[in-house]
Amino acid sequence: MSGMQQLIVAPILLPLLTAALLLLLGEKRRPLKARINLLSTLTGLGIAISLLLWVKDQGQATSIGVYLPGNWAAPFGIVLVLDRLSALMLVLTGVVGSSALLFALARWDRAGASFHALFQIQLMGLYGAFLTGDLFNLFVFFEVLLAASYGLLLHGSGRSRVKAGLHYIAINLFASSLFLIGAAMLYGVTGTLNMADLALKIPLVPEADRGLLHAGAAILAIAFLAKAGIWPLNFWLVPAYSSASAPVAALFAIMTKVGFYTVLRLWTLLFSGQAGASAFFGGQWLVYGGLATLACAAVSILAAQRLERMASLSILVSAGTLLAAIGFGQTALTSAALFYLVSSTLALCALFLLAELIERSRSANELPLDDDGDGLPSPLESLQPPKGINLDDEQKAVVGQIIPWTMAFLGFSFIACALLIIGMPPLSGFVGKFSLITALFNPQGMGVPTQQPLSVAGWTLLALLILSGLASLIALVRLGVQRFWKPQERPSPLLRMYECVPIVALLGLCVVLSLWAEPLMRYAQDTAASLDDPASYIEAVLGTRSLPGPTTLDSVGQVQP
């Protein structure tokens, strides 16, 4: 086993050990805990990038790394699997986690107890969910990240957070129960929970048990789709994400992608074209469920008045787009959806962080936190010129109106986030949506004549992609006029460096995606191609053998070195 394959377990062990250390330090050493948390999170991001580069540099047949934590070969032991898709999600989690934590260090980490430990446990659950290769440990990591998210959602207290938190806990406990029921039914039919082994066993299921298999898969899918935010199971998401503190909501931007990742992983692995009578089971439900989610979110976003709620509804727009795109089962659409996933997640994370800064002068997110430390230079008192001072006899301004630098920063950042979410050029949001539309008309790739006309579902997705962008444009322009253009008699918000840097970094990454979209698109195409041909995944997992111990027994029972 190579050194990089041994590094596969590091994203799980690192936050686990860090969380244990942070709990031992107690609450009186918060500055030290903050530094340890940040160092661990950035180290985890570095490990994730190293794993992605390793996977990217491997050939198509060797781009899957397998690690056996208990040194038991699959399907009997725990297995961690790293491929192009999981490596991409690891890096995305590390970027979002680092940005959210850096923003939280300005003030939010002091709003309650055990924030840093919960943050690391959350990262552990996310990394584990993306790496695990069996349903049982997927359930374990789901519960780990959900348990941490319960505490993070309530971080900062407040009536709205408690109310939304109770709904959030109830729906996720129900979804976890469905997870167990669905996994038990699959195990009863196939006798295994290892994903690669399930892919081999499903085509062999007798016809008499096929209905039970499909029922178990459907129940399991409901649990994942509820976490992914599909309509009508997404009623809990907007209140919960809107009530959470800004860094927690930004971290939660990757949470719905866990549900999407699991659906994509299991559907392409268990119900691929090689699944016999179960091939592509449930694909139409993904398409129409995604379309319904996209339509409802686009209508709802028009009525949103607060930026936090608008960002939460934008998550549902993203979820509906992704679920509908992968439901078509086309490689080109899946690769475009993966590019769109990266761009939309970064943009929504930045928007959640930006929302608090924009709304800070209002009462929405004011908390009695200790604001010690050096802030950035104070902004001016108002955007309006003082009355009767700088106007001449004709009531014209003698000098131009001075815009405080904080408002300029917030305004430009808001414009960038809006362009990304709407899908307008020149940023990566446009590249993602344009790739989706191109893939709808050219499922075999550019330059290859299409034999089949676009289906009704395809035309519907095309129309909703355009209409959802128009709805986001109307809503964001209206809110931008209210926050930045309309004269308001209140001071501009005070900002800190910790709060500005992560927003700049996230938007900067989106600019990088716009300028160098081709390498990521090629990576997404390779990822989609490997998902459509799961044979290499199955062979890598089931072909990995446990390592021999330091001693073995010969035929007569003597210990041999």
Side-chain angles (χ1 to χ4, degrees):
M1 181 180 294
S2 66
M4 291 305 298
Q5 284 181 300
Q6 293 179 347
L7 197 63
I8 293 175
V9 73
I12 300 174
L13 288 180
L14 179 62
L16 174 63
L17 297 176
T18 304
L21 176 60
L22 294 175
L23 288 173
L24 289 175
L25 290 177
E27 291 299 318
K28 295 183 178 180
R29 299 180 179 178
R30 291 193 178 186
L32 177 60
K33 292 172 67 175
R35 295 186 181 93
I36 294 175
N37 191 3
L38 182 60
L39 177 62
S40 176
T41 304
L42 293 176
T43 303
L45 174 58
I47 293 173
I49 294 175
S50 300
L51 291 174
L52 183 139
L53 294 176
W54 177 74
V55 168
K56 178 179 176 295
D57 293 338
Q58 303 300 306
Q60 182 72 23
T62 59
S63 61
I64 299 175
V66 180
Y67 182 83
L68 306 176
N71 202 28
W72 282 76
F76 306 105
I78 299 173
V79 58
L80 302 177
V81 187
L82 178 78
D83 64 350
R84 287 185 172 89
L85 178 60
S86 55
L88 177 65
M89 300 307 295
L90 290 182
V91 174
L92 193 57
T93 301
V95 171
V96 171
S98 300
S99 302
L101 176 60
L102 191 60
F103 188 94
L105 294 182
R107 62 197 293 262
W108 276 106
D109 65 324
R110 301 186 294 278
S114 303
F115 173 84
H116 296 289
L118 289 172
F119 194 92
Q120 285 296 312
I121 295 173
Q122 176 85 69
L123 290 180
M124 172 194 166
L126 289 169
Y127 285 138
F130 293 135
L131 285 172
T132 187
D134 62 273
L135 289 180
F136 177 79
N137 286 284
L138 179 62
F139 174 78
V140 171
F141 286 118
F142 256 99
E143 294 307 302
V144 168
L145 68 91
L146 287 175
S149 69
Y150 299 153
L152 290 175
L153 179 59
L154 297 174
H155 184 75
S157 68
R159 180 178 179 181
S160 62
R161 290 194 181 94
V162 173
K163 181 179 178 180
L166 291 176
H167 294 165
Y168 176 80
I169 293 172
I171 190 65
N172 279 285
L173 289 177
F174 178 71
S176 298
S177 300
L178 293 179
F179 193 144
L180 285 177
I181 295 172
M185 293 176 68
L186 287 180
Y187 183 76
V189 174
T190 62
T192 184
L193 288 177
N194 183 275
M195 296 179 187
D197 200 32
L198 276 168
L200 291 181
K201 296 289 180 61
I202 285 178
L204 306 178
V205 172
E207 190 62 32
D209 295 335
R210 186 74 56 182
L212 188 61
L213 169 70
H214 290 173
I219 293 174
L220 197 65
I222 291 174
F224 298 140
L225 292 173
K227 299 176 190 296
I230 196 171
W231 184 87
L233 305 176
N234 54 16
F235 60 89
W236 57 273
L237 189 145
V238 174
Y241 284 34
S242 301
S243 301
S245 61
V248 172
L251 183 61
F252 281 8
I254 194 70
M255 286 271 286
T256 53
K257 304 307 184 289
V258 177
F260 166 77
Y261 164 85
T262 309
V263 170
L264 177 61
R265 170 71 71 195
L266 294 181
W267 191 64
T268 56
L269 188 60
L270 307 187
F271 300 106
S272 65
Q274 292 78 38
S278 298
F280 306 112
F281 168 73
Q284 292 298 317
W285 289 100
L286 288 178
V287 172
Y288 292 115
L291 293 177
T293 304
L294 182 56
C296 293
V299 172
S300 300
I301 205 171
L302 290 172
Q305 299 297 323
R306 290 182 52 191
L307 191 52
E308 297 92 340
R309 187 172 181 84
M310 198 172 296
S312 303
L313 289 168
S314 297
I315 285 186
L316 297 182
V317 171
S318 172
T321 303
L322 293 172
L323 291 173
I326 66 170
F328 283 88
Q330 299 174 359
T331 304
L333 261 179
T334 302
S335 62
L338 292 176
F339 185 95
Y340 174 80
L341 179 147
V342 175
S343 174
S344 63
T345 303
L346 295 177
L348 290 171
C349 179
L351 185 60
F352 273 117
L353 300 180
L354 190 65
E356 182 193 329
L357 304 185
I358 294 176
E359 303 288 346
R360 177 164 293 176
S361 57
R362 301 160 66 90
S363 59
N365 276 322
E366 291 299 328
L367 286 177
L369 303 181
D370 181 16
D371 243 0
D372 55 343
D374 296 330
L376 296 181
S378 301
L380 297 181
E381 290 293 324
S382 173
L383 289 178
Q384 287 185 299
K387 294 182 179 180
I389 294 180
N390 61 339
L391 300 179
D392 61 12
D393 294 337
E394 298 180 358
Q395 298 296 307
K396 295 181 180 180
V398 177
V399 293
Q401 179 174 307
I402 300 176
I403 301 178
W405 77 268
T406 54
M407 297 305 295
F409 168 77
L410 296 178
F412 281 116
S413 300
F414 179 80
I415 292 174
C417 287
L419 291 176
L420 288 165
I421 292 171
I422 296 166
M424 294 182 65
L427 298 181
S428 56
F430 170 75
V431 179
K433 285 197 172 183
F434 185 77
S435 300
L436 288 169
I437 294 174
T438 302
L440 282 172
F441 287 103
N442 301 275
Q444 303 300 323
M446 295 295 293
V448 180
T450 303
Q451 301 297 326
Q452 296 181 348
L454 196 60
S455 63
V456 175
W459 281 111
T460 305
L461 177 58
L462 173 63
L464 288 177
L465 283 174
I466 298 173
L467 293 177
S468 64
L470 179 60
S472 299
L473 173 64
I474 295 172
L476 289 169
V477 167
R478 183 187 66 232
L479 190 139
V481 169
Q482 293 175 351
R483 298 296 186 269
F484 297 102
W485 193 272
K486 181 180 177 181
Q488 301 178 42
E489 292 289 351
R490 63 172 183 262
S492 302
L494 293 171
L495 306 183
R496 294 192 174 200
M497 190 67 68
Y498 284 162
E499 297 170 323
C500 299
V501 169
I503 296 175
V504 173
L506 290 168
L507 296 179
L509 285 175
C510 292
V511 173
V512 172
L513 290 181
S514 307
L515 297 176
W516 287 279
E518 184 180 0
L520 178 59
M521 188 60 72
R522 284 201 304 267
Y523 184 92
Q525 291 170 351
D526 293 338
T527 303
S530 64
L531 290 174
D532 285 346
D533 184 19
S536 58
Y537 181 98
I538 298 171
E539 181 181 355
V541 173
L542 299 181
T544 301
R545 295 290 177 258
S546 58
L547 298 177
T551 60
T552 58
L553 294 177
D554 62 13
S555 59
V556 296
Q558 298 295 321
V559 177
Q560 299 293 332

